[in-house]
Amino acid sequence: MKPPIFDYVTAESREHALAVLRSHGDDAKVLAGGQSLVPLMSFRLAKPAVLLDINRLEGLDSIEASDGSMRIGALTRQCELLTHPLIAEHCPLVRAAAEFIGHPAIRNRGTVGGSVAHADPAAELPVLLQILDAGIELCAAGSQRTVPADDFFMGLLMTGMNPDELLTGISFPLPGKGSGWGFHEVARRHGDFALVAAAALITLDDRGAVAGAAVALGGIGDRPVRVVAAEETLKGNRPTPETIQAASHEVDGAVTPVGDIHASEAYRAHLGQVLTKRAVHDAVERARAS
Amino acid sequence: MSGSHTEPMARISLTLNGQPAETEVPARKTLLDTVREELGQTGTHAGCEHGVCGCCNVLLDGKVVRSCLLLAVQADGHDVRTVESLGSPERLGPLQRAFADKHAMQCGYCTPGMIMAAADLLAVNPDPDEAEIRTALSGNLCRCTGYMEIVDAVKDAAGRIARGETPVDEPPSLSAGAAGGPYIGRRIPPVEDRRFVAGKGTYINDFTLPDVLHMATVRSPYAHARILSIDTSRAETHPGVVAVILGEMLPDVIDPVPQNLDIPDVVWYPLALDKVRYAGEWVAAVVARDRYVAEDAAELVEVEYEMLGPVVDPEEAIRPDAPVLHEKHGSNIAYERVLTYGPVDETFDEAGHVFEERYRWNRHSGVPLETFGAVARWDAGRQEMSLWASHQTPNIEEQLAKVLRLPLNKLRVHQHLDVGGSHGVKRGRKHMFLTTAVSRMLGRPVKFIEDRLENMSSGDGHGPDRVYYLRAACDGDGRIQALDIRCIDDAGAYAGRGAMQLIKPITAIVGPYRIPAVRYHAISALTSKTNQSPYRGFGQAPAGYVLERMVDLIARELGIDRAEIRSRNFIQPDEFPYTIPTGAEYDSGDYPICLEKALAVSRADTWEQQRREARERGKWLGFGLSTVIEPGGGTGMVFAVMGPQMVNMDTNMEGIRVHVDVTGMITVTIGFQSCGQGHETTTTQLACDFFGVAPERVRIARADSMEGIVTRATSGNRLHLMLPLALFSAGRKIKDKMQAIAANALEVPAERIELAGGMFTDREDPEKTVSWDQVCFYAYRRDTLLSPGMEPGLMASAVAKHPRGFVPPTPDGRVAGGFATYTFSVHVPVVEVDPETLEIKLVDYYVVHDCGKVINPLMVESFCYGGVNLGIGGALYEQFKYDEDGQLLSQTFMDYLLPSTMEVPEIVLEEHETPAPGNPVGAKAAGESGYMPAPPAIVSAVEDALRHTNVRITDTPVTPDILFGLVNGR
Ligand SMILES: Cc1cc2nc3c(=O)[nH]c(=O)nc-3n(C[C@H](O)[C@H](O)[C@H](O)COP(=O)(O)OP(=O)(O)OC[C@H]3O[C@@H](n4cnc5c(N)ncnc54)[C@H](O)[C@@H]3O)c2cc1C
Ligand code: FES
Ligand code: FES
C-alpha cells in the first residue's frame, strides 16, 4: 500500500497555490493534513497527477473571534479545537465535537479545512457547520466566495467546491446569549467516524420557549443534514420532554438513512431519533443554564 | 496513469533524533518508509499503512503523528523523533524502562508507536489519570496485551519522569529485572522487552539483503471466475520491474501447496492457474526494485475474466446444486465425518428434555499488527535456499523441500527473527513457497512483505467460520446426558488448516462437563473466501462457545441459575484423570473451586442490586459467565481421525541443545522463533534454576533448520510443557558430566558431588569444592580429569517426547489420550447496555484461570489479558464480512474493528494452581484461555442485560445494530 507517483508541489504562497490549481484543475489535489487523502492514495483510490502541499502556507491557521462571529483558518489543526482559548470561551460546542474526531495523532495533523473539504458524511465538523449556519470560504485565482454549509455539502465526499478553488477557512456567527448546544454521537469504537452524530443549538426566549433552533445529523445519510422539521416543531414551543420527543420523530421523514457493514438503515434511523432527542435535550439544559 | 512518468525525487534535510539527516527520496515516499529504509531507524513499524493502528507513530516537532500518512518531503526542515531517541537497550529512557518493567507488550511490534503516543501525552500532561491515558492511547492498537499493562506502564513512567529519572546504563539482561534465584515462578520482566522498547527488535521487515527485489501481488476482483487471458506487457516494460510471475509458470518449478486432506483434485498454487476462487486471490506477482514500483506495475497487469457464480454461504456451498469451485473434486465438501461416541440416539429418545439451537460463529482472526513477510535467497553456487520469514509454521522446511523439490539438506530456514504477533495465524505457507520459488526463478533475493490489503483479503489468515446445529438432551435438573452437534465450517477456497481446526474440538468436546454421549458431524465446506489459518485455540473456541451458549439456554429454559447448572454438570476434582466419550483424557483440575472463586471475586451476591442501581441510572447491566476448557500441548495423533494421510503427523516433540562453554557460559539453542511468548525469558528461567546459575550466564540462541534441532515451532500451545522436558533432559547429561569431572578433580566418588551456588562440593567434606568455571575449563582443557571414554566439551542435546506420544485413533474415531494438559478458566464480564442506542460497554471483567504451575506470572497474566482483548474483538467488533457477491467488506482497519484501550476494560485475574502431572515443573498450556472463554461469556452478559426482553443471542459478533434487530423482533 504505497501512494502512486505524483508531481509534488509545495505551495509557496496563496497566489502560487491558486495558480497551480488553475493550471491543473482536476488533476491536482490539495494536501492538507493528509489524514484522509494519503490513505486514499495508498489504497490507490486517489491518483492525483499533482499534489499541492499547502502545509507551508502562512496565515491559514488562525482562529479569530470578533463582532459576534468566529473564523477558523483552513490549516488549523483539529487538535487546536480542543485547546484554543477562544473556542473554549466562545464556542465550546466545537471543542466537544472535535473530541470525537479520531485520536490525538490524527487530530495533530488533520486540518479543519481538510475535514470540511473531504465532506465525509460521518465527520463531526461538517455537522457543526450545518447548525452554526457557517460559511465556507473558497478562493480561486482572482475570485473569492463564501458558500453556506447547506449548499456546500452535496453528497458522499462531494462538495460545491470547484477544482481550482482552495478552501481558506470557515466562519460562523457565534451563538448568542440564551443559547445552548448539544452534541451526541454513536460510533462503533472510540474515535471512529460516527454511525450517527447529532448536533443541536437552541435559543430560549425570556419565557423559556424556543426562539431559535438548529438541529443537524451526520453519518445517517450521504451528507450532513439540517432537520428542519424538527426545528419547526420546537420553535415557539416550550421544550418539554414531549415536544423534544415529537421533534425527534421528525427525523424519520427528513433524512434518507444509508446502511453499511456497521449499521443498517433502520438502526441509523433509530439512532437519528435518539441522538436528536439527546442533543436537543442537552441544548435546552445549557440554554436554561446560560 | 501512475508510473507512466519517471519518479520525481526530492532532497530533504531534517533533524532526526537530534541529529541532522539528509537524503534524497522519491516525493511519494512516506516518512515511515524513509526513516526505516533511508535513515536506518527501524524501530518505527508499519502495521496498516492507512493511519489506524499507530505502530508508525513518531513525533513531528514534538507532536505525535502517523508517519505512514506523512510524506518524507513534508518533514523537510522539521524535527522528527522516533522511539530510538528515547534511549538504547543499554540505556533505556524512563518511558522505555517503565514499558519493559511492566511487561507492557508481548511481541513488541506495537510498542514503539505506543511509547511515542505516551511521550506526546506526558509532555503536555505529566500526571495523567487512567482515563486520560486510555484516551491518549486509543489510536494505538495492540493485539497481544489487554492494554492494562500499557496503561500501568504509562502511569509508572509519569512517576519516573516526575522523580527526574534519567537513562541508566544497564545491559539488556534478565538479571536486570531479577535478583537471585530461584527464577521459576517469579514475575521477571522478559529480557526481550528491552530490545522491543528501544526499537531494536528485528522483525522480518527490518531484515534485508543486498540486491534484494520486492514483490507485490495482482489480486482477483471477483469471487469466482475463469481467467481468460493475462496481459503483462505493460507491467513488464515498466521501469524498475524485473519480472511478472504468473500461476501458469509455477507447476514447472514447484509442487502445489500441501493440503493435509486426501483431496488430490483440490489443487492449490500460490498464484491462481486457470480460475480464481475468491476475491483477492493472487493472480500474478510483480517483482521490482522496490515495493512502490511493484505496486505501480501490479496495476498495469491486465486480466480478462469470465465470471462464474460465487459460493459465499457455507450451507449453500454444500448443497448439490451449488456452483463447484474445484470441478474435478466434484463438490464443495473438503471433508466430512460423523463421529459418534456413546449411546447418542438412545439418550435423546429417552431424555426428559431436548433443547436445540442454531449458532453462527462468524469469521474473525488474530490479525497481528505485523503482516506476514518473507525474504528468500537462492544461492545458485551452493544450490542452497535460505528463507527468513515471520512465521510460526511447524515443519516448514520439510514442506518447502517437497514443494521446491529440493533435498531437505539444501534448505536453510532461519529462526532468529522477532515475529510481530501471530496468535496462531502466521503460517504464510503460500507466501513462503512463492517467495522462495521466485528467488530461484530469478536468481536474486526476493522480499515479500504483505501489505494490509493482501493480509486481510488473501493472506490465508482468517479464523474458523462456523454454523452449528446443536441439540442437547438433559434431565429435569439440567444434567446434560448427550450432545448432538452438526458443524459446517467455512474453510475458504482451499482446505488450508480449516478442516484440522474442525477436528481438534473432539479433544474437549464436552467442555468441563460430565456428558456421556456425543455425536459430532463435521463438515468442511469450500467457499469463495481466503483460507483459514490456525487461530488461538485451533478451532476449539467456537466449540466452547456453542456449548456454553447451550448451557445458558438450558439454564434459562429450566429456570436454573447459570452457575448452579454448571456446578451440577462439572467433572469433579476426584475424577481425574477423566476420560471423555471421545477418548480424550483430562489430566487434572478443580472446576468447582475456580467457579466459586470467580463468583466471589465478581461479588455475585451483589449482581441483583447492581442491576437495579444501573436501571436507576438508565442502563441495563448484565453479568456473563463461561467455564471453558483449553486443551494444551498439541499432539498430531488427534488429526489422524481425518484419514490415513494424516498418520504422518508427528508427535509434536521438541528439541533443544545446551552448550556450556569453556568460560562457563551457557547457551541454550532452541529451534523456533517466538511471536511474543517470551521464550528467551522462560528458557533462561528454567536453565538458571536447573543449573543454579545467574541469568547473566545464560543466553538463548536460535538454530536454523540445518542445525538439526527438532522442532514443531510454537504450535499446539505446548512449549511450556515441552521446553522444561527438553531442557532438563539435555541439562541432565551435562550436569552429570560436570559432576563426574568435579569428582575426578576432587578425587571423590561422583555420587558425593553436589552442585549449589555455582560450586561443586563433596557432600561429605564441604571443604572440598571446585567452582563451576573451573569444571568448565577442565571439561575442555584437562583431558586428564575426564573419566575414561568421556569426550571433552560440554554440549548435549535432547528431544523431548510428547507426554501423550502418538497412538493412532481407533477406526471409529476414538482418540487415545488427546492433548497433554487441560487448562480451565472462568470468565465473568460485566456489560452495560444503553436501552436506547443499544451500545454495549464492557465495564468490568473477572477471570479465574488454572493453568497449573506458572513459570513467569507476568507473562502468563499478559497472555490472559491479551486473550481477553482478542475475545472481546470476536464477541463484539471483529468480522471478515463478505457480501453476496463474495466481496470482502472489511479489508481495512477502518472496517475490521480491533478493540482499543477504550473497548477493553480493566481485567481482574485470579490464578488457581492445580499442578499438571507428567511434566517436571507442573505447567499447563496458558496461551489460549484468555481468548476462548471470552466470546461466550460476553454474549452471556449481553443476554443477561437484556433478560427482560427475552432476546436470545446465538451469533458472534453481537453489535448494537444486531441487538437493535433482535430487540425489535427483526
Ligand atoms: C484513523 C483515523 C480516524 C479518523 N477519525 C475521524 C473521525 O472520527 N471524524 C472525522 O471527522 N475525521 C476522522 N478522520 C479523518 C481526519 O479528520 C482527516 O484529517 C480529515 O478527514 C481530512 O483532513 P486533512 O487535513 O487530513 O485533509 P487531507 O487528507 O489532506 O485532504 C482531504 C481532502 O480534502 C482536500 N482538501 C484538504 N484541504 C483543502 C483545502 N484547504 N482546500 C481544498 N481542498 C482541500 C484534499 O484535496 C483531499 O481531497 C480520521 C482519520 C484517520 C486516519
Ligand atoms: S502504520 Fe501508520 S497507523 Fe498503522
Ligand atoms: S505487543 Fe502489542 S501488538 Fe504485540
Side-chain angles (χ1 to χ4, degrees):
Chain A
M1 272 171 53
K2 311 290 182 191
I5 284 185
F6 48 77
D7 281 325
Y8 174 81
V9 180
T10 306
E12 313 283 350
S13 65
R14 189 179 297 203
E15 294 65 37
H16 175 223
L18 297 176
V20 171
L21 287 178
R22 159 158 291 181
S23 59
H24 292 281
D26 254 346
D27 288 342
K29 272 259 172 226
V30 169
L31 174 65
Q35 305 299 290
S36 293
L37 182 55
V38 176
L40 284 178
M41 295 198 324
S42 295
F43 289 130
R44 303 211 172 208
L45 294 172
K47 294 183 193 171
V50 175
L51 198 61
L52 177 66
D53 183 353
I54 60 169
N55 282 281
R56 289 174 208 262
L57 284 185
E58 308 254 311
L60 268 184
D61 61 352
S62 58
I63 299 181
E64 296 146 36
S66 63
D67 300 336
S69 74
M70 176 165 260
R71 183 182 178 281
I72 304 179
L75 265 184
T76 306
R77 307 286 167 189
Q78 292 153 1
C79 60
E80 288 288 313
L81 305 179
L82 300 192
T83 51
H84 202 283
L86 286 177
I87 292 205
E89 185 187 338
H90 296 291
C91 203
L93 159 65
V94 172
R95 183 204 150 107
E99 282 188 345
F100 285 91
I101 303 176
H103 313 280
I106 306 301
R107 296 191 295 259
N108 280 347
R109 205 55 210 160
T111 65
V112 169
S115 179
V116 176
H118 191 58
D120 191 306
E124 287 78 10
L125 294 180
V127 185
L128 288 195
L129 300 199
Q130 281 287 19
I131 59 161
L132 289 168
D133 286 323
I136 289 133
E137 295 170 11
L138 302 174
C139 221
S143 72
Q144 192 161 354
R145 60 186 180 131
T146 301
V147 182
D150 213 26
D151 298 337
F152 183 81
F153 299 109
M154 299 182 58
L156 182 71
L157 311 186
M158 271 170 36
T159 69
M161 190 166 47
N162 298 322
D164 66 344
E165 282 179 317
L166 185 69
L167 198 161
T168 49
I170 55 164
S171 54
F172 50 87
L174 285 168
K177 264 215 85 55
S179 73
W181 57 271
F183 186 89
H184 277 267
E185 154 168 344
V186 169
R188 290 288 278 119
R189 292 170 306 177
H190 176 90
D192 282 344
F193 277 101
L195 295 181
V196 175
L201 206 54
I202 301 287
T203 315
L204 299 179
D205 61 23
D206 317 336
R207 302 176 339 259
V210 174
V215 177
L217 287 171
I220 195 163
D222 68 350
R223 75 192 91 169
V225 281
R226 278 288 279 265
V227 193
V228 180
E231 297 169 1
E232 294 306 327
T233 308
L234 292 164
K235 277 185 200 158
N237 290 316
R238 293 192 151 274
T240 59
E242 295 71 32
T243 320
I244 296 176
Q245 184 84 35
S248 74
H249 288 317
E250 295 298 336
V251 166
D252 245 2
V255 293
T256 318
V258 294
D260 61 20
I261 62 167
H262 301 302
S264 60
E265 291 164 34
Y267 179 56
R268 276 208 169 84
H270 169 74
L271 283 182
Q273 293 201 13
V274 172
L275 299 182
T276 297
K277 185 182 75 181
R278 291 183 181 181
V280 173
H281 172 271
D282 285 6
V284 167
E285 292 294 307
R286 286 198 176 90
R288 284 191 180 129
S290 78
Chain B
M1 204 28 253
S2 71
S4 54
H5 56 296
T6 49
E7 185 89 62
M9 301 295 287
R11 234 212 118 78
I12 60 167
S13 62
L14 53 129
T15 310
L16 179 63
N17 298 336
Q19 301 293 322
E22 255 196 66
T23 180
E24 174 150 324
V25 286
R28 59 169 161 164
K29 193 153 183 164
T30 61
L31 181 64
L32 168 64
D33 288 342
T34 304
V35 292
R36 291 179 48 80
E37 292 165 13
E38 318 281 335
L39 303 172
Q41 305 287 313
T42 54
T44 308
H45 299 147
C48 67
E49 294 184 295
H50 56 275
V52 186
C53 73
C55 288
C56 68
N57 276 355
V58 301
L59 300 185
L60 179 74
D61 300 328
K63 283 188 148 190
V64 66
V65 299
R66 305 289 204 229
S67 63
C68 70
L69 301 186
L70 199 69
L71 304 171
V73 282
Q74 295 189 278
D76 184 33
H78 289 273
D79 181 79
V80 174
R81 283 178 189 268
T82 65
V83 73
E84 287 94 340
S85 69
L86 301 178
S88 63
E90 306 84 18
R91 220 176 134 70
L92 296 181
L95 241 174
Q96 294 168 316
R97 190 161 233 287
F99 268 68
D101 283 0
K102 295 286 177 189
H103 187 38
M105 73 209 73
Q106 283 171 36
C107 76
Y109 199 75
C110 70
T111 309
M114 199 68 88
I115 289 180
M116 296 322 274
D120 174 287
L121 168 70
L122 295 179
V124 290
N125 180 355
D127 187 23
D129 62 25
E130 161 118 16
E132 288 167 330
I133 296 171
R134 285 186 177 263
T135 311
L137 298 184
S138 63
N140 284 74
L141 301 173
C142 176
R143 293 298 273 171
C144 300
T145 69
Y147 295 110
M148 289 162 58
E149 310 93 307
I150 294 169
V151 172
D152 243 19
V154 177
K155 281 187 204 154
D156 185 52
R160 288 169 188 271
I161 294 168
R163 290 193 299 275
E165 190 178 294
T166 48
V168 239
D169 287 322
E170 185 179 63
S173 139
L174 190 138
S175 48
Y183 295 93
I184 296 176
R186 297 238 323 264
R187 311 175 63 81
I188 299 174
V191 54
E192 291 91 335
D193 292 4
R194 294 178 174 264
R195 61 175 182 267
F196 297 155
V197 294
K200 296 292 181 200
T202 42
Y203 303 90
I204 183 66
N205 202 13
D206 306 333
F207 178 78
T208 191
L209 291 169
D211 217 20
V212 75
L213 296 172
H214 296 261
M215 191 156 75
T217 62
V218 177
R219 301 184 293 281
S220 164
Y222 305 117
H224 189 193
R226 200 171 305 288
I227 299 172
L228 299 179
S229 68
I230 305 181
D231 180 355
T232 59
S233 51
R234 285 177 63 212
E236 277 174 68
T237 53
H238 187 74
V241 171
V242 174
V244 180
I245 310 291
L246 301 181
E248 64 185 36
M249 304 170 182
L250 295 180
D252 283 345
V253 289
I254 59 171
D255 278 7
V257 182
Q259 296 260 27
N260 283 306
L261 286 176
D262 187 18
I263 42 171
D265 292 323
V266 176
V267 179
W268 179 20
Y269 277 95
L271 302 175
L273 298 188
D274 49 345
K275 257 176 85 166
V276 287
R277 296 183 173 85
Y278 64 96
E281 184 164 4
W282 302 348
V283 175
V286 178
V287 190
R289 89 172 168 242
D290 67 36
R291 174 80 195 196
Y292 286 75
V293 173
E295 286 187 26
D296 294 343
E299 289 190 293
L300 302 175
V301 174
E302 285 160 27
V303 188
E304 206 187 331
Y305 295 97
E306 175 196 326
M307 305 270 281
L308 303 167
V311 187
V312 184
D313 182 85
E315 288 186 281
E316 279 171 27
I318 60 175
R319 293 220 179 100
D321 55 347
V324 174
L325 286 175
H326 301 268
E327 283 94 348
K328 269 184 83 188
H329 180 66
S331 84
N332 294 322
I333 297 179
Y335 174 77
E336 176 164 14
R337 185 156 187 197
V338 181
L339 294 155
T340 305
Y341 305 102
V344 178
D345 289 326
E346 298 84 324
T347 313
F348 272 96
D349 286 347
E350 287 159 23
H353 298 270
V354 173
F355 298 101
E356 56 181 85
E357 187 57 276
R358 176 185 188 272
Y359 298 100
R360 188 77 178 85
W361 172 278
N362 279 301
R363 249 173 206 242
H364 64 269
S365 194
V367 189
L369 293 182
E370 178 200 52
T371 58
F372 195 88
V375 176
R377 179 182 58 203
W378 172 243
D379 181 335
R382 295 190 172 81
Q383 292 285 296
E384 181 180 293
M385 178 65 76
S386 292
L387 173 71
W388 296 258
S390 58
H391 78 95
Q392 64 154 117
T393 312
N395 301 350
I396 182 60
E397 58 280 357
E398 203 181 318
Q399 297 185 47
L400 261 175
K402 176 165 185 328
V403 170
L404 294 180
R405 302 168 192 156
L406 267 181
L408 189 49
N409 61 4
K410 290 190 168 174
L411 259 164
R412 194 184 288 279
V413 179
H414 295 262
Q415 302 279 9
H416 65 257
L417 293 171
D418 294 312
V419 178
S422 172
H423 319 293
V425 306
K426 284 265 175 73
R427 300 301 165 109
R429 295 187 304 146
K430 130 184 126 184
H431 311 56
M432 293 188 276
F433 301 146
L434 180 64
T435 312
T436 47
V438 172
S439 173
R440 189 169 59 178
M441 288 162 84
L442 303 179
R444 297 266 303 265
V446 175
K447 183 169 187 172
F448 176 46
I449 305 291
E450 268 183 340
D451 68 16
R452 191 46 73 184
L453 289 177
E454 284 163 327
N455 174 268
M456 303 289 272
S457 72
S458 44
D460 303 330
H462 293 190
D465 181 356
R466 297 192 186 157
V467 183
Y468 276 94
Y469 292 91
L470 199 65
R471 289 201 308 144
C474 65
D475 66 16
D477 294 333
R479 278 178 230 279
I480 305 170
Q481 295 154 330
L483 291 174
D484 184 4
I485 305 165
R486 180 159 178 268
C487 176
I488 302 117
D489 186 63
D490 181 333
Y494 305 88
R497 284 295 186 271
M500 290 174 75
Q501 298 200 80
L502 195 51
I503 285 305
K504 177 182 168 186
I506 64 176
T507 63
I509 199 130
V510 296
Y513 311 118
R514 215 199 273 113
I515 304 174
V518 184
R519 176 159 44 232
Y520 184 45
H521 181 179
I523 303 166
S524 175
L526 297 165
T527 64
S528 299
K529 295 177 190 153
T530 195
N531 294 346
Q532 288 181 20
S533 265
Y535 176 38
R536 216 110 174 218
F538 207 74
Q540 182 66 32
Y545 170 78
V546 296
L547 179 57
E548 287 304 286
R549 295 275 59 224
M550 177 52 80
V551 172
D552 274 10
L553 184 154
I554 298 171
R556 182 162 163 165
E557 293 296 321
L558 296 181
I560 305 170
D561 174 73
R562 284 173 297 171
E564 172 59 27
I565 195 168
R566 286 175 166 81
S567 297
R568 286 183 197 170
N569 283 288
F570 275 156
I571 297 162
Q572 295 300 309
D574 57 5
E575 293 178 286
F576 293 99
Y578 183 89
T579 304
I580 67 168
T582 61
E585 187 188 275
Y586 293 2
D587 60 329
S588 62
D590 189 338
Y591 308 155
I593 197 153
C594 290
L595 176 58
E596 217 172 280
K597 277 193 177 184
L599 296 176
V601 65
S602 65
R603 295 176 299 130
D605 53 331
T606 66
W607 290 2
E608 203 40 61
Q609 185 197 336
Q610 291 186 52
R611 284 192 190 99
R612 260 199 320 275
E613 285 167 7
R615 241 159 229 280
E616 282 160 23
R617 276 186 285 121
K619 298 285 184 199
W620 297 336
L621 200 65
F623 298 85
L625 180 64
S626 75
T627 53
V628 172
I629 290 288
E630 169 190 2
T635 159
M637 70 184 173
V638 171
F639 301 104
V641 165
M642 298 171 68
Q645 82 286 353
M646 300 297 285
V647 174
N648 67 358
M649 288 293 300
D650 63 48
T651 58
N652 279 7
M653 64 237 151
E654 192 65 32
I656 212 162
R657 185 170 63 225
V658 181
H659 175 205
V660 180
D661 66 32
V662 65
T663 67
M665 305 305 260
I666 303 171
T667 306
V668 180
T669 306
I670 53 180
F672 59 90
Q673 55 196 11
S674 307
C675 331
Q677 302 96 328
H679 293 115
E680 289 166 34
T681 299
T682 38
T683 311
T684 304
Q685 288 178 269
L686 293 166
C688 286
D689 280 7
F690 184 81
F691 290 113
V693 297
E696 293 91 339
R697 291 204 173 246
V698 182
R699 182 133 196 286
I700 309 305
R702 306 198 186 239
D704 68 45
S705 64
M706 287 188 108
E707 294 181 45
I709 305 278
V710 177
T711 182
R712 282 284 296 166
T714 55
S715 64
N717 203 354
R718 83 213 138 84
L719 286 164
H720 260 59
L721 271 74
M722 302 302 286
L723 283 179
L725 284 170
L727 176 62
F728 292 0
S729 161
R732 187 76 260 155
K733 299 176 197 173
I734 291 185
K735 217 176 188 179
D736 286 349
K737 189 167 178 182
M738 290 180 82
Q739 252 159 340
I741 297 170
N744 295 343
L746 300 172
E747 299 180 334
V748 299
E751 311 79 70
R752 282 181 23 199
I753 299 293
E754 203 173 53
L755 169 62
M759 302 300 282
F760 291 88
T761 309
D762 177 5
R763 211 176 285 124
E764 292 178 11
D765 179 1
E767 297 286 285
K768 285 192 170 166
T769 66
V770 54
S771 73
W772 169 277
D773 286 353
Q774 199 64 46
V775 172
C776 294
F777 178 80
Y778 293 157
Y780 288 85
R781 301 283 153 82
R782 285 292 173 273
D783 229 8
T784 50
L785 292 178
L786 303 183
S787 307
M790 195 182 262
E791 285 173 10
L794 295 168
M795 169 109 78
S797 53
V799 181
K801 177 172 167 314
H802 191 276
R804 289 269 155 91
F806 186 93
V807 184
T810 59
D812 61 353
R814 269 180 65 90
V815 296
F819 277 36
T821 65
Y822 286 82
T823 298
F824 178 67
S825 3
V826 186
H827 283 210
V828 179
V830 187
V831 304
E832 204 174 77
V833 175
D834 183 302
E836 288 185 313
T837 63
L838 299 164
E839 287 165 283
I840 304 163
K841 185 173 170 49
L842 273 161
V843 287
D844 284 308
Y845 208 111
Y846 303 95
V847 176
V848 174
H849 181 220
D850 179 359
C851 66
K853 175 78 189 166
V854 172
I855 298 176
N856 187 334
L858 208 50
M859 291 165 54
V860 167
E861 285 164 15
S862 183
F863 296 151
C864 175
Y865 301 144
V868 173
N869 174 354
L870 299 181
I872 291 171
L876 300 175
Y877 299 100
E878 297 176 32
Q879 184 181 354
F880 289 109
K881 194 164 184 167
Y882 287 83
D883 69 10
E884 61 272 23
D885 295 327
Q887 295 295 331
L888 178 57
L889 302 175
S890 43
Q891 301 199 41
T892 73
F893 280 0
M894 289 299 230
D895 290 321
Y896 187 94
L897 308 177
L898 308 176
S900 77
T901 48
M902 304 299 271
E903 285 74 46
V904 180
E906 180 158 345
I907 300 155
V908 176
L909 170 63
E910 270 202 28
E911 294 282 355
H912 178 85
E913 279 188 10
T914 313
N919 81 78
V921 293
K924 290 188 177 186
E928 296 159 354
S929 53
Y931 165 65
M932 297 202 294
I938 293 165
V939 172
S940 170
V942 175
E943 207 175 81
D944 186 51
L946 271 71
R947 43 167 44 188
H948 55 283
T949 64
N950 252 343
V951 158
R952 249 191 220 178
I953 305 169
T954 51
D955 302 354
T956 61
V958 49
T959 66
D961 185 17
I962 288 171
L963 225 44
F964 174 74
L966 289 172
V967 169
N968 291 290
R970 280 179 228 241

